[in-house]
Amino acid sequence: MFENLKNASEIFSKMGEMRGKMEEIKKRISNLRVVGDAGAGMVQVTSTGDGVVVDIKINRALFDSEDNKMLEDLVLAATNDSLKKAKEATEYELKSVTGGLDLSEISKLFGGNLG
């Protein structure tokens, strides 16, 4: 009976350590910056590793164009490219820290959705 209590104590201790590591990982991911682009770099969108768009750059020549639909399509494509790269960077960061262990289910226990 006491052995089970000792094991439970060890498990809770390790969960506390894991929570600390998850917080560190979340900070690292939030600090990641990736750039997606479209139209050979005419539109660039920068987002964080956790999928927040933080910057958009549009080549001035696109504003002189009569084709608004093209500009909209390029912004959409660059945004999607940026968010895809953010997801890939997040997955890479998680794997590098965890040695390839999939934390997507475990992270949900800590209120996050990493991976």
Side-chain angles (χ1 to χ4, degrees), residues 93-110:
E93 187 71 21
L94 286 170
K95 286 179 182 173
S96 70
V97 170
T98 64
L101 179 66
D102 181 11
L103 293 180
S104 59
E105 291 301 316
I106 296 171
S107 72
K108 291 175 187 173
L109 296 173
F110 297 101

Side-chain angles (χ1 to χ4, degrees), residues 25-43:
I25 291 169
K26 286 168 71 172
K27 285 179 187 175
R28 288 173 63 174
I29 288 170
S30 290
N31 289 328
L32 285 173
R33 297 291 184 267
V34 294
V35 178
D37 69 273
M42 297 286 281
V43 176

